[in-house]
Amino acid sequence: MKKRYLIITTLGVFTFLSIILVNLNDSLKTLYYSVLEAGKETKGTEHQTTRAPTLDITSAKTTEICGAPENKKPLINVRGTKTYVVSPYFEHRYGDRGRIHIVSIVLRSEDADHHCLFCCEGQRRSTSTADCHIHTDHFGFVYGTADLLCSVPEDCRAPTHLAVYAGPAGEGVSPFMPIGNPEPRSADFPLEFTVCISAMFQDFNNVLQAVQALEMYRLLGVNKVAIYKTSCGPEMERVLQYYTSRDFVDIIPWPITSYINVSNGWNSREYPGDLHYYGQIAALNDCVYRFMYKTKYIALHDLDEIILPLHLENWRELMDQLELQHGRDASFEFENHVFPSVYKEKSGKFKLGEWAGVPGVNMLEHVFREPNIPTEFNAFKVIVNPRMVYEATVHGFLNLGSHSVRVPHEIARMYHIRRPVRHDIKRTDLIRDDRLWHYSSKLVTAVNEVLKEADLLNLKNSSSKHFR
């Protein structure tokens, strides 16, 4: 009797486990095919890198909009083309809400036929062919930044999402993306100053300089920093988590290397690749549109750059002075001045022991700048009213709805701590400029607080040294 009971019990347990294994197998099959299908959707062309698709299991279940997946992240491939859509935005500056501006990256030689599909009150509404305008600042690379412009259908009063497709409507529709900037704003902006950083790549881990720059932005009055991130090092990731948790930094995922063979430089003759410098120009244009009605001013920067007023305390005082002279809608250019990171000041007053193990450049140790040559082009970065911008580039704008003013370097200048640019000069030719020290007391305190919160203060050794 005991033996028969044992056999029945064993058979029951075996049956129960078999059911679990079958169900688990079905789930794994579903997961496998979803990954396989995702790989088919983004499978490359001759101008794409061959990188395996990554599945985020936590986001495998997607929301559907008008019968298609919703995607809130930038960079979506338009199926059947070599076009990558970054984000769509309402364009309010043509007198109506009837146009959508879609920041994109296109293969310049491809004659793709783009169309827009709108989701309006749960219903799909198609439009005519999208106009495609390729920016001229492609620097000879085969891919370039482009604007796709679509008209909103007359029977679509309040579109919320948009998908871009090529070919017959409904065949291979890309995921729907939310349309940004639904309502314009001309005053009472949530933010006063926003800085756009594009892009963070190559396992960026210049932690000390990044924290110093971010804290300097804060001291100068910046409310938000947007970073288009491809990759960063482990210490930098901890710092970014600190800043995002305090709503000072927004991270925009920028997985450009998964789709296009990007260049490490700006010149296609010297730096191989199919797209200029990690898609920097597309990211800058997206940032302008993303914050167009959220911020009063926008600054286009890198993390090794800081615009410093020489006789005023912060950017608000600086902009008040400049706008009093040149008007509220002007764009302001600040000339680049290189502080070579290979030369340190000799006193060692800012060679702090608690920062010794933090990877990165200590900006406070570099107070000697290269002299600019007045007869040659000197690069610059800008602070501008974003509602005046139609096309942004690395240094300034291709299409601006107002005039641009070069600010005299005696009023304000851009401090750029980086590798030397001029190799025709000696150390004795450098100009001492320690304006950054004016902020040193507050800056050191603020940097220490961030490093402490990120568990990076008083480290003995850093795990990696990847500096741009």
Side-chain angles (χ1 to χ4, degrees), residues 348-423:
K349 65 185 295 186
F350 291 109
K351 188 176 182 179
L352 306 182
E354 59 265 38
W355 294 352
V358 182
V361 173
N362 181 355
M363 294 194 303
L364 291 170
E365 292 186 295
H366 305 286
V367 295
F368 297 97
R369 58 179 168 88
E370 298 177 353
N372 285 351
I373 303 175
T375 57
E376 294 186 3
F377 170 77
N378 290 304
F380 60 90
K381 291 298 175 70
V382 297
I383 299 177
V384 66
N385 169 355
R387 291 155 299 285
M388 293 292 106
V389 181
Y390 292 87
E391 292 179 38
T393 186
V394 181
H395 304 289
F397 310 98
L398 299 179
N399 188 351
L400 186 68
S402 65
H403 62 291
S404 196
V405 176
R406 178 67 68 96
V407 177
H409 62 82
E410 297 86 3
I411 295 175
R413 62 176 68 120
M414 189 175 73
Y415 286 64
H416 192 177
I417 296 91
R418 53 155 294 162
R419 295 184 302 273
V421 172
R422 294 189 60 182
H423 300 285

Side-chain angles (χ1 to χ4, degrees), residues 6 17 92 94 102 106 112 117 242 261 333 414 451:
L6 182 61
L17 290 174
H92 299 281
Y94 293 109
I102 308 165
V106 301
L117 185 65
Y242 167 85
N261 177 27
E333 304 172 357
M414 189 175 73
L451 296 176

Side-chain angles (χ1 to χ4, degrees), residues 314-331:
N314 53 53
W315 284 2
R316 177 182 290 175
E317 294 177 5
L318 176 63
M319 294 303 289
D320 286 346
Q321 182 187 79
L322 294 174
E323 289 182 346
L324 192 63
Q325 296 173 327
H326 304 286
R328 297 183 60 185
D329 294 331
S331 163

Side-chain angles (χ1 to χ4, degrees), residues 75-142:
L75 293 173
I76 298 175
N77 176 241
V78 178
R79 297 178 190 178
T81 74
K82 300 175 183 70
T83 297
Y84 296 88
V85 171
V86 181
S87 293
Y89 300 94
F90 281 102
E91 178 54 89
H92 299 281
R93 294 171 293 177
Y94 293 109
D96 56 37
R97 287 189 58 195
R99 299 186 76 181
I100 305 296
H101 181 115
I102 308 165
V103 181
S104 307
I105 298 171
V106 301
L107 183 65
R108 296 190 295 116
S109 61
E110 181 180 59
D111 187 19
D113 202 18
H114 302 105
H115 302 266
C116 289
L117 185 65
F118 290 90
C119 185
C120 307
E121 299 177 345
Q123 301 295 320
R124 294 186 177 196
R125 295 287 185 269
S126 184
T127 73
S128 58
T129 302
D131 294 327
C132 180
H133 168 69
I134 301 176
H135 293 204
T136 57
D137 55 347
H138 48 71
F139 298 101
F141 292 97
V142 296

Side-chain angles (χ1 to χ4, degrees), residues 198-326:
S198 63
M200 183 173 283
F201 52 84
Q202 287 186 335
D203 296 333
F204 180 96
N205 213 41
N206 188 351
V207 175
L208 184 55
Q209 186 169 3
V211 173
Q212 288 175 335
L214 290 167
E215 290 307 311
M216 273 304 305
Y217 297 157
R218 246 208 282 241
L219 291 173
L220 291 167
V222 172
N223 312 106
K224 179 73 71 176
V225 178
I227 298 177
Y228 286 69
K229 176 187 152 191
T230 300
S231 65
C232 69
E235 290 91 351
M236 192 66 218
E237 184 60 40
R238 282 150 66 178
V239 167
L240 293 178
Q241 289 175 5
Y242 167 85
Y243 282 114
T244 55
S245 70
R246 282 151 180 81
D247 201 31
F248 183 62
V249 169
D250 283 358
I251 299 297
I252 295 91
W254 194 244
I256 189 72
T257 53
S258 297
Y259 304 104
I260 299 174
N261 177 27
V262 298
S263 171
N264 289 326
W266 69 274
N267 190 330
S268 60
R269 294 186 298 274
E270 297 179 30
Y271 300 95
D274 295 330
L275 177 66
H276 167 270
Y277 206 50
Y278 286 82
Q280 178 187 35
I281 296 170
L284 287 174
N285 279 271
D286 180 73
C287 195
V288 168
Y289 274 86
R290 185 177 294 265
F291 289 93
M292 184 169 289
Y293 299 107
K294 298 175 184 176
T295 189
K296 186 176 180 180
Y297 303 104
I298 206 161
L300 308 182
H301 265 227
D302 288 328
L303 272 176
D304 56 1
E305 298 170 340
I306 301 172
I307 293 171
L308 279 186
L310 297 192
H311 307 289
L312 300 170
E313 194 67 18
N314 53 53
W315 284 2
R316 177 182 290 175
E317 294 177 5
L318 176 63
M319 294 303 289
D320 286 346
Q321 182 187 79
L322 294 174
E323 289 182 346
L324 192 63
Q325 296 173 327
H326 304 286

